[in-house]
Each structure stands twice: as structure tokens, then as C-alpha cells.
Amino acid sequence: MQPLVAASLLEATEDGARFGFADGWQCRLFVLADDILRVLLIPPDGLREPRTWMVAPGGTDVPWEGRDRLDVTAFPRPRFELREGAEVVLQTSSLAVTVRLQPFGLEWSTLDGRGFAADRATHAYASARGGATRHFMRREPDELYFGLGDKTGTLDKHGRRLRSLALDALGYDPERSDPLYKHWPYLIVRQGGRSGVVAYGLFYDTLSTATFDLGSEHDNYHGFYRYCEIERGELDYYVFLGPRVRDVVRKFAELTGRMAFGPRWSLGYANTAMSLTDAPNAQARLSEFIDRAARHDMPISAFHFGSGYSSIGPRRYVFTWNREKFPDPKPLIAKFRRANIRLVANIKPCLLDDHPAYAEVAARGAFIRNRATGEPTVGQFWDGRGAWIDFTHPEGLRWWQAGLDRQLLHYGILGWNDNNECEVWDEDAESRGFGQAIPIDRSRPLHPLLMTRATYEAQSRRFPDERPFTVTRAGPPGIQRYAQTWSGDNTTSWHTLRWNIRMGLTMSLSGMFNTGHDIGGFAGPVPDPELLVRWVQSGAFSPRCIMNSWKAGGEVNTPWLHTEVIPIVRDWIRLRYRLMPYLYTLYWRAAVFGEPMLRPAFYEFENDARSFADSDDFLLGPSLLVASVVEPGQRERAVYLPAGPGEWLDFWTGGHLPAGREIVAPAPLERIPLFVPAGGIIPTTGTGDMRRLHDEPSRALRIFPGSAHGRSEFTLYEDDGLTHSWREGDSAEVECTLEWTRKTVALCVERSGRYPLPYAAIRVIAPPGERRRLVLSGDGVELET
């Protein structure tokens, strides 16, 4: 690699500064906001990736053809001070960046002079003849690194070397495997380690494969460093100051687009299994599934069709129906509808070479193609060879959306975007790029992003009065604007249960707030009764709550898989529905305010150094600490209760527990430990009636006052759960204020907003054993005990 060493200031610009190198390279420094700076290296022959699809500032989406990478008009671009001397300094009202000209490098600091990020002291930027570029930064031994998407292992990635590249990783090891399904070149850095006080975000806006070395490599001449290597694309990165981890998470959501706010039913329990739609009598098997759910009184809000509905033998043909297995799907779909179960079907972006529509799509030029011959690029896909739809070509988009509308949306079935990692490895392949062709190595992640958007928008057109819901397995930052995602095809084991918890938290910190895992494990053996129960107990608190499986013997992960534990599984799925008002409020806050639903303890309690320790625990929102059981035979669990709140309360018993201490909690098979910080307010349904499923209208407030003095607040969000009317103001907020002393507990609620609440009163539930006088007051809604 050729180091970029000596630079000079070419000019101060309206939005930053421009620097030049002797060999023709340039560096643009953009001041985009008081707390966001951007660094762009431009090769001598110009930008390789002149457009971006991942950055969506200002709450607006990106044009289908992408945004001009040099267009920064959507950002605030505040005034800044530029001081020129031996070094160049740009300063905003929040931070400063010092530019060292030889060897060229940057150092970021807060206004009080505290440095929080720096390029390494020796050369920090280098390019290779093959097109790769590297960015080297100084690495402190105690720095913590979070993010990078669906990565495995502990939350802190310090010491690992990880690639940002999407693969179909069936059967991955959730502790060690890399890469997986997502391309996610985004890092949260906490400077100063567990006791540090500054966190910042680092996002590399490139669709090219990127490698992050976070302390695996060491070279005596350069001290401790880390680097990001971009294989073929642009070295274009954003640095944004937190200063807390939670601030970084929110700002990344604002930079790349906030999460789609889907329908409330998508938070209910769902089921799917490949073997059901793969069965020769699939329609009858699915009809039987509905009957068994009713027989076991099991609440279920959605069923996801595996791709077997479109199969002939082992091969899958998107947008077709196997009429031998599904002789008449309409009565089956009507039966699902009567049971209040929504349908979502698996769709794949590759057409096998004997697909009935292959010739038509090829004639339209709608496949990813070979740049020299213009012919479709063909590669391995499932049990054959096929070509991938080019979602950067208008014809590809038109064909896709028409097929989706005709074969699925027409029946009321939504789309689940699967196997969309776009594993096209032919170096001569290219995407049309809406008229500006893009080599496949710089457009591979773009296809799952645009595929998901195409599905989302087709559903919006077909059902204009309903919020769209779709799912995607792969993609780069930006997929959260359209879809739910998950951790892919996991394997049944206790090991997976434990490490999937960390994957979910890593994805949440990375901006994928609407996520989850295949409960019970997708591949591998059938889960035994104990493992199934423990997985359901943990999965009940994920935004995506679904059983999905493929077992060699044809078995299906269902709530009634093991007769002896059906009552326990049913109780936990019902608990999820009881928590729907709390879940839905968190869902809304994730979409509107950029707050993850799943949170590591340090998200809420960053001042507690011990909260950064590796753990099997997580928070659902601010008020519920979940201590999953991830070992067979375990009937009690050590749990650390973070310092921060005055104390903690046991969710089940109401017992008061000290903060900043480790306790041992009972964990019988029918229960896992759950805890609430003092002052926690958890809205639930008011009854256990499951007939309305996700739309049960009754409400209760479970309150957890501390034992001494204190005050807390929580705002319950309400709307119709389905339409877009919330955007027009048809929503309501119930602001709850809890105050307590040693003698009294007072709860006040105040309603605002024009949405008519489907209830007139809210029941208040105090912990068992609470003996203090309860004082209730309400404005716009009554409180009752």
C-alpha cells in the first residue's frame, strides 16, 4: 500500500475544508452539524461510488437512484471556525478537529480539550493499486467497540478482526462466526473503557466489502492501532460525538433513517416452519396448524409461509404456487383471516435457470449482468443455478413488484425478503445502477436494500390505509427504514440461545431495533422440552417473536411441540400479549426517537462500570431487566442489578433488592428472573383475555415504587395500531407520574392527544405486599384498583 503522508490545505470551503496530496489524492472535510464531521478521500481519477443509499438525513428517504455523495444540503452545516497554522483546526460549538499535515492525520476533541478520537501518529491513510484504501486510528487498550451489525461474540469487539460482507450463513456459530448476513460498517467507540465518559460513532459509507481490525494486528513501528480497510469503494466516514452510548445510537438512527413504525400485530407471536409448506399436503398441514393453535388456546398473530409454497421438488420458484400442494389457497387464507392470523410469505430474489419467467426477465434485461457480454450473470442458488434480479434497473423493479402484487398481495399475503445476500461472485458482473453501471463488488449490499424497499412500497400501494410490514434477512444500514430483521438461520443449542442474546443487543446498538431470533433454533436437532421453554422465555421479550425451523426429520418448532411443557409455553406467550401496551410504546419510541427496544445494561446505566461486563442479561426498554436462563438444569441464577436506581424490585414478588449488587434469584422451569428499577411503570393489558390478541383494549399500570423517596415518569402511547392516521395526530399519550415516600405512593395520569382511547379507566396494580397508602388522580382517564 502507498501511504498518503504529506498534505496541504487547498482551500476553506463553505462547509469545511479541502486538502491535497502530491499524487493527486484529495481529502474533503465536511462540518455537517455541531457534533457531526465527515471525512472523504477522493482518488486522483474521481469517486468510485459517486452516490450513496445509506445516508438519509433530515427524515426523508433516499431517491431510488441514490443521493449525490457530494450533496450535503440536507445537513444543518453550522458556522465553524477555521484556524490555519502548522496544523489546521476546525471548531464547532460542540467539538474540534485538528488536522496534522505531515504525516497527514486528524484528531477529534471536545471543547474542553479532551481528545476522544485520533488517527495514528504515523501515516493514517493508504491506498493500494488494486483499489483498496485503509484508515488507521490510534487504539487505546481500554477502548470498547460495539456495533458492526449482526456480529457474533461479546458486545465489546476489541481484539477481533471482522468483515462487513453478507453471506448466507446457515448454521453459524453465534460466538465466533464471521461474516454473517449484514453489511454494516458502523462502530460505536467508548473512549476510556468501562470508566470512560465519551462515546462516539464511526460510520464508513461504502457498499464495498470492509474489514475492521480492532486490535488483532500489531506492528512495532506504529504503536497500538486499529484500521478499516475498504476493498474497492470510497473511504468516506462520519464521526459523531455522543457523548453517551445512547446518544450515539440515536444519532446513527437519524443519519441513516429511523426505523419503520409497523402495525401492532407484528409484535404478536408468530410461527413458521419450512417443513409445513414443503409437505406434499401443505395446505392440509397449514389448516391443521390453525386448528391445533385453537385447540391449545395458543395466541398467535401471524404465520410466515416458508418458500415451499413455490417449490417443485427441492427447487424454489419465486412468485409461483405449487398447485399440487396448494390446490386452492383461498379457503386456507380465509381460515387464517378468521383466526385473526396475518400471513407473510417467503420471497427470493434469484430465478433458477428453469424458472417459468426466466426468459421474460432476461429479455427485459432485468438481471444482474456480465459487463462484457450483457448476458445474465448465473451462479449457485439453492439446488441449482440462477440469475439475480437487478433492483437497480427499472425493469427489475417493475417485474418484482408486479409479481409480488399478483401472486401474494392479491391474496392479502405480505412479503418476507429471504436469501437476499446477493452472493454474486463473478468479478465481471455489474448492476445497471439506474443508468450508471456499478460493478458488483460495489453494489452487492445495495440489492437487498432496494429489494426490501420495493417490497415495502408495493405493499403500501396495495394496502394504502395500512402501515406496511415486511422482513429482510440481509442488507446494509437503511433496511431499518422499511423492515424487520433477524439473526438468520441459527442452530438449536444452549450455546446458540446464550450467544444470540448478545447478537440481538449488538444489532440493536447498530440501529436494527426491530430484531429477534428463531425461537428454538432453525437448523440442527429438535429442542428438548427444557431448551424450548427457556428459549420461549427469553424470546418473549424480543421485538420479533417467532418460531422458525427446518429439521431433517420434518419436525416443527411449535408451542405444542412437547406436551409436558405446553402450559408453560402458553403462559409465556400470553405474558407477551399482556405486555403489548409496553411493547407497543417502546416500538413507537424506537421509530420516532431512535431508542432501541432491546438494551444492554450500560445503555441505561453507563455510569456503572460493571454494567459493561459480558452478561446473559438485557433490558427491554427502561423498566424491565430480563435474566435469561441459558444453561440446562439451572434452577437459580446469579444476576447483577446495576447501580443507578435507588434499588430494584422483583417483578414477580415485588421484593426490594439493592442496586449495584449481585444476587442469586430462583429460576424454576416455569419462570426466569425479571427485575424492575425502583420507579418502574409498566403498562399492560387489564385482563388476561386473549381473544383480541394484540388489540386487547383494556389497560393496567403495574407500578414499582421504591422504599424511600422518589419520583419517576413513563408515557404510554396509544393509536389504532394499524393505519397511518397517527402521522396526522390521531394518537394519544397517557403521561404517568409516580411519586413515593415511606408512607404514601401517588400515581397521577394525564391524557393528551385526540385519539379516542378504547378504555375509560386504567387499573393500577401495586407489587404484592405493598402496604402504603395509594393516592390516585387522573385527567382524561380514570384510575382504579
Side-chain angles (χ1 to χ4, degrees), residues 272-311:
T272 184
M274 280 185 61
S275 61
L276 290 178
T277 51
D278 280 352
N281 60 338
Q283 186 164 332
R285 290 284 301 276
L286 292 175
S287 180
E288 180 189 11
F289 177 91
I290 302 171
D291 295 337
R292 295 195 71 173
R295 188 159 60 247
H296 292 294
D297 199 17
M298 201 70 67
I300 177 171
S301 293
F303 187 87
H304 295 215
F305 274 33
S307 58
Y309 74 94
S310 66
S311 68

Side-chain angles (χ1 to χ4, degrees), residues 502-520:
R502 292 155 176 80
M503 286 183 66
L505 294 173
T506 292
M507 293 164 74
S508 291
L509 291 172
S510 299
M512 288 178 269
F513 304 148
N514 192 355
T515 191
H517 319 284
D518 286 347
I519 294 173

Side-chain angles (χ1 to χ4, degrees), residues 89-113:
V89 178
L90 286 83
Q91 182 175 309
T92 73
S93 62
S94 298
L95 56 82
V97 60
T98 299
V99 183
R100 184 184 64 242
L101 297 176
Q102 185 165 350
F104 184 78
L106 290 80
E107 182 168 346
W108 291 263
S109 60
T110 57
L111 290 190
D112 60 5

Side-chain angles (χ1 to χ4, degrees), residues 504-733:
L505 294 173
T506 292
M507 293 164 74
S508 291
L509 291 172
S510 299
M512 288 178 269
F513 304 148
N514 192 355
T515 191
H517 319 284
D518 286 347
I519 294 173
F522 177 77
V526 177
D528 64 37
E530 182 185 17
L531 178 55
L532 181 68
V533 165
R534 295 308 196 191
W535 217 314
V536 169
Q537 290 169 336
S538 184
F541 301 103
S542 285
R544 174 178 167 90
C545 181
I546 184 170
M547 284 191 192
N548 182 22
S549 57
W550 172 78
K551 306 299 179 186
E555 300 89 350
V556 177
N557 288 352
T558 63
W560 49 86
L561 176 63
H562 297 295
T563 304
E564 63 269 37
V565 295
I566 290 175
I568 300 176
V569 172
R570 180 171 51 229
D571 285 348
W572 278 87
I573 293 175
R574 286 180 171 181
L575 175 63
R576 180 179 179 87
Y577 282 93
R578 293 295 303 274
L579 290 169
M580 189 60 67
Y582 181 60
L583 280 163
Y584 190 63
T585 297
L586 299 180
Y587 192 32
W588 170 71
R589 293 195 67 85
V592 175
F593 299 106
E595 299 173 358
M597 300 171 72
L598 298 178
R599 306 171 183 182
F602 61 75
Y603 180 93
E604 290 291 335
F605 308 107
E606 193 163 354
N607 291 332
D608 181 358
R610 189 170 172 181
S611 71
F612 287 89
D614 184 55
S615 173
D616 299 320
D617 307 337
F618 62 91
L619 286 158
L620 176 63
S623 301
L624 199 54
L625 176 63
V626 180
S628 301
V629 175
V630 296
E631 295 180 6
Q634 192 172 33
R635 296 298 180 264
E636 62 179 21
R637 254 221 55 189
V639 183
Y640 176 68
L641 302 176
E647 59 191 328
W648 290 79
L649 284 79
D650 187 299
F651 177 84
W652 305 109
T653 69
H656 292 250
L657 301 160
R661 297 269 298 276
E662 184 176 282
I663 60 133
V664 176
L669 182 60
E670 66 274 11
R671 181 174 293 180
I672 61 172
L674 300 174
F675 303 94
V676 182
I681 304 170
I682 300 179
T684 69
T685 59
T687 74
D689 187 354
M690 293 292 125
R691 288 175 296 179
R692 297 285 298 274
L693 294 175
H694 41 270
D695 290 327
E696 166 56 34
S698 62
R699 293 292 182 266
L701 290 174
R702 291 196 60 174
I703 59 172
F704 296 84
S707 56
H709 296 262
R711 185 179 188 275
S712 64
E713 296 176 346
F714 186 86
T715 300
L716 167 64
Y717 175 79
E718 303 279 15
D719 63 21
D720 64 20
L722 184 64
T723 74
H724 299 283
S725 62
W726 69 280
R727 293 186 180 277
E728 309 304 321
D730 286 332
S731 62
E733 297 179 25

Side-chain angles (χ1 to χ4, degrees), residues 319-340:
F319 301 146
T320 67
W321 280 88
N322 182 318
R323 292 301 183 181
E324 292 182 1
K325 294 192 294 184
F326 292 87
D328 185 4
K330 288 184 178 180
L332 175 65
I333 293 166
K335 186 174 181 178
F336 273 110
R337 190 176 295 118
R338 288 194 300 272
N340 202 14

Side-chain angles (χ1 to χ4, degrees), residues 7 26 44 101 172 185 200-202 218 233 252 287 414 425 476 481 602 656 717 755 761 780 785:
Q26 289 189 22
L101 297 176
Y172 63 87
Y200 67 93
L202 187 61
H218 178 69
F252 182 67
S287 180
L414 306 180
W425 305 115
R481 303 192 292 258
F602 61 75
H656 292 250
Y717 175 79
Y755 174 70
T785 57

